[in-house]
Amino acid sequence: MEAQHRFGRPETNCRLYSVLTIFLITFCLGYSETVTSKGFDWMTPEPDQTLDECHDEFTIACANASAVFAESYDHCELNANETIVNLEVDVELERLQIELGSSEVCGNLQLCDTLVDDLEYFKCINEKGTRNLDILTEITYNSTSAYTRLHEDYDEVHRTFLLCSLNAQTKYMEDIRQAHRELTQCRSEIDELSV
């Protein structure tokens, strides 16, 4: 009896090891797509991402690129508007000077219009006319100068805005291209692993 117990244990252990070996082989074969003559063809490991996740990341990258572009464009517009507001202060001063000059010219002519005597009227127009001519010459000079400077300033603001918005558009397009490259790479990796 002792002999049977002594020999029975190794046999039981052997069976246990055989069962474990068969289980492991079966377990490993479960991951194999096919058994080839060269050995096991192990199942390709699952990719880190799925196609849906690739497209989700692409969508998020596109949304981020759009948000950055919108913020950059708003920044360009804000800078342009602030620059124009600063220009308007100078414009108001120029307008005020011109309006004061034109009021003086009109006031001089109205003063002469109050005179009844013809001799006094013509004398007033002659005297005030010379002064009015000086004022109108100054108004013409100031308005032409202001127009030229303002036109140049607006052109500069417009040029700066265009360059700023162009940079924002270029960055946006590069971000979208990068997102598309990453999507293509992600899809390629999944395709390679699933072959």
Side-chain angles (χ1 to χ4, degrees):
M1 284 276 232
E2 288 182 24
Q4 286 182 347
H5 285 294
R6 206 175 8 175
F7 293 118
R9 287 186 179 191
E11 188 178 329
T12 305
N13 288 339
C14 185
R15 272 192 227 153
L16 181 61
Y17 289 131
S18 297
V19 170
L20 284 174
T21 305
I22 291 170
F23 174 74
L24 286 173
I25 290 173
T26 306
F27 181 75
C28 292
L29 285 176
Y31 282 95
S32 176
E33 292 176 353
T34 60
V35 177
T36 63
S37 59
K38 297 178 184 177
F40 293 118
D41 184 13
W42 298 102
M43 179 186 264
T44 307
E46 287 294 320
D48 291 339
Q49 291 181 304
T50 66
L51 281 178
D52 286 344
E53 290 171 332
C54 291
H55 287 276
D56 288 346
E57 286 185 8
F58 175 72
T59 303
I60 291 168
C62 288
N64 288 341
S66 295
V68 168
F69 171 71
E71 187 178 330
S72 298
Y73 190 87
D74 288 346
H75 177 72
C76 295
E77 206 168 44
L78 182 64
N79 282 347
N81 288 338
E82 285 177 355
T83 305
I84 289 173
V85 166
N86 290 336
L87 294 177
E88 295 296 332
V89 173
D90 294 335
V91 168
E92 287 176 9
L93 180 61
E94 298 285 349
R95 286 181 72 113
L96 179 62
Q97 290 174 342
I98 290 170
E99 287 167 6
L100 289 173
S102 64
S103 294
E104 187 178 346
V105 168
C106 292
N108 289 339
L109 292 175
Q110 286 174 350
L111 180 66
C112 293
D113 282 346
T114 61
L115 299 174
V116 178
D117 182 64
D118 291 339
L119 186 58
E120 290 297 319
Y121 171 78
F122 288 121
K123 181 182 176 188
C124 178
I125 290 293
N126 182 36
E127 290 172 354
K128 300 294 183 184
T130 303
R131 172 67 186 139
N132 285 352
L133 187 58
D134 290 341
I135 294 170
L136 289 173
T137 301
E138 189 175 341
I139 287 174
T140 302
Y141 170 79
N142 288 343
S143 62
T144 303
S145 174
Y147 172 78
T148 304
R149 285 183 283 113
L150 189 60
H151 193 275
E152 289 173 355
D153 288 344
Y154 273 114
D155 283 350
E156 182 60 33
V157 169
H158 184 67
R159 186 168 33 255
T160 302
F161 172 75
L162 285 179
L163 290 173
C164 182
S165 60
L166 181 61
N167 287 337
Q169 289 171 10
T170 303
K171 170 92 170 67
Y172 171 73
M173 292 305 296
E174 181 51 40
D175 288 346
I176 292 295
R177 278 196 298 271
Q178 181 60 32
H180 188 264
R181 282 193 291 267
E182 288 173 6
L183 172 64
T184 304
Q185 179 66 30
C186 184
R187 291 181 59 134
S188 295
E189 289 171 3
I190 290 172
D191 289 344
E192 286 173 9
L193 291 173
S194 62
V195 172

